[in-house]
């Protein structure tokens, strides 16, 4: 790269854990070229924005962030990538001050585009059509300076009627098991203790390569030095009994925590969404997990106010959600996405009603999380203490094996180590207080 070094870059990420993993990979790639991360109030020479487009609100957040960063650092080279850039590249390119727009297939080749920019200072848009996105580009980077995110899969073949992600990420494609294990070994050698497996639809791993997800899990489980693994999210129809039984009884390092999208508790709405399961299968998966791992944390995605969610279907959905013995809900208001088949479904839910349903589900989630958390008061759980990023001086934060977030008095010797902690109360809805032995 022909820049006069050292240059500084700042990185800004919206959306999912996969995006955060890829932003970290971008940062490492540029670091190998001598570009360091801007610290504190340092003005960066390069600003990278990795966007999300899962909802209309995500698009608005992306536009707002881009403009705010341009106003703050008008002389920096501004690169916008991610799903919003993939789906609406010309819209992004028209935002004042954007220099380079990269699609999802191009984001991990950012160095090449920055070199081209340095030669001619000519704005450019580089986006492949989703049907042409075929290559798997891996990433395994330390996200919050403690846990690593290992990208094992990308893209999706499901084409749910409300979702644009297959158009933003392309068709499902997977990494190679040997190469992914090698990445986990590198993370272990660098002192990593926990790895989160990320992807768009991780349960589809290996469908394009002839390998399979459970074999990947078993191979990763054997990597010495990694003490914890988690699966970022997995579809209920792809979370097989074999996988659950192996995590419960055969795994050394996969933690009793799961993130499973439900999206609706109404079978009719699931049909309209083109989901690959119905409520009976979902309920069976939850029962199976808790029969084998009674302390397991189960987080569930659910959408409020989808097209076709009439009052009666909403009542069914809420009643089903209320009945499930899960740990918490991640609640999303339904968002109209251009080009999706859901736009042809009759019955739209008003914004006011959508907000009411979101509020009810959020209250339900808070109740379930408190009830789940309260079960562990007075017990000791093993906590991985996370390196401080920002936060309260004198305190440290970490997560238990079953993914409860806890706070305790800081001890520098404990960062990036796993130790027992006595859980003794609520700091807030999201966090428990803990006492070190």
């Amino acid at each position: 790269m022909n820049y006069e070094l050292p240059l500084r870059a700042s990185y800004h990420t919206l959306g999912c854990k996969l995006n955060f993993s890829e932003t970290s990979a971008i940062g490492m790639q540029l670091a190998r070229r001598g570009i360091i991360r801007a610290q504190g109030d340092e003005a960066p020479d390069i600003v990278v924005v990795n966007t999300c487009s899962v909802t209309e609100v995500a698009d608005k957040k992306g536009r707002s962030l881009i403009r705010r960063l341009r106003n703050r650092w008008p002389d920096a080279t501004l690169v916008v990538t991610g799903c919003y850039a993939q789906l609406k590249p010309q819209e992004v390119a028209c935002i004042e001050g954007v220099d380079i727009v990269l699609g999802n297939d191009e984001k991990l080749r950012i160095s090449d585009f920055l070199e081209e920019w340095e030669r001619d200072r000519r704005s450019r848009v580089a986006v492949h059509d989703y049907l042409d996105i075929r290559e798997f580009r891996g990433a395994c980077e330390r996200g919050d300076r403690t846990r690593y995110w290992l990208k094992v899969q990308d893209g999706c073949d499901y084409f749910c009627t409300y979702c644009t992600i297959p158009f933003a990420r392309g068709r499902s494609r997977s990494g190679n098991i040997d190469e992914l294990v090698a990445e986990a070994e590198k993370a272990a050698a660098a002192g990593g203790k926990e790895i989160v497996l990320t992807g768009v639809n991780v349960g589809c791993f290996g469908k394009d390569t002839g390998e399979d997800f459970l074999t990947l899990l078993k191979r990763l489980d054997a990597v010495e030095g990694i003490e914890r693994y988690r699966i970022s999210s997995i579809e209920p129809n792809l979370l097989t009994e074999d996988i659950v039984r192996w995590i419960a009884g055969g795994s050394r390092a996969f933690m009793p925590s799961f993130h499973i999208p439900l999206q609706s508790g109404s079978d009719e709405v699931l049909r309209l969404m083109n989901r690959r399961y119905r409520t009976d299968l979902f309920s069976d998966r939850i029962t199976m997990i808790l029969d084998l791992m009674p302390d397991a944390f189960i987080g569930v995605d659910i959408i409020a106010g989808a097209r076709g969610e009439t009052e009666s279907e909403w009542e069914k959905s809420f009643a089903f959600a209320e009945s499930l013995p899960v740990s918490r809900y991640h609640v999303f208001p339904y968002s109209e996405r251009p080009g999706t088949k859901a736009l042809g479904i009759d019955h739209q839910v008003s914004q006011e009603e959508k907000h009411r349903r979101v509020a009810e589900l959020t209250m339900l989630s808070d109740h379930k999380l408190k009830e789940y958390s309260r079960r562990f008061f007075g017990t000791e759980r093993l906590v991985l203490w996370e390196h401080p990023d920002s936060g309260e001086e004198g305190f440290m934060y970490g997560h238990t094996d079953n993914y409860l977030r806890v706070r305790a008095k800081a001890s520098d010797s404990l960062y990036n180590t796993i130790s027992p902690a006595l859980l003794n109360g609520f700091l807030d809805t999201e966090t428990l207080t803990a006492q070190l032995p």
Side-chain angles (χ1 to χ4, degrees), residues 220-255:
L220 290 171
D221 197 61
V223 174
E224 294 183 6
I226 301 300
E227 299 184 42
R228 290 182 168 184
Y229 288 98
R230 301 185 196 274
I231 302 167
S232 59
S233 178
I234 185 168
E235 292 285 308
N237 53 301
L238 298 175
L239 181 60
T240 65
E241 182 175 350
D242 286 345
I243 291 173
V244 174
R245 289 191 177 280
W246 178 78
I247 291 174
S251 168
R252 172 190 64 85
F254 275 83
M255 295 294 99

Side-chain angles (χ1 to χ4, degrees), residues 269 273 303-310 334 347-349 354 357:
V269 174
M273 288 178 164
I303 296 171
R307 286 243 186 178
E309 189 181 77
T310 62
Y334 170 72
H347 186 80
Q348 284 182 262
V349 180
K354 200 181 296 181
R357 294 178 189 183

Side-chain angles (χ1 to χ4, degrees), residues 384-427:
L384 173 60
W385 299 105
E386 295 156 10
H387 284 297
D389 185 4
S390 56
E392 300 169 76
E393 191 171 335
F395 292 96
M396 61 184 180
Y397 291 81
H399 283 84
T400 65
D401 54 335
N402 59 335
Y403 209 59
L404 290 169
R405 186 172 188 259
V406 301
R407 186 187 78 162
K409 287 185 178 180
S411 173
D412 290 345
S413 65
L414 290 181
Y415 289 125
N416 199 38
T417 68
I418 296 173
S419 69
L422 178 68
L423 310 186
N424 54 21
F426 287 110
L427 178 66

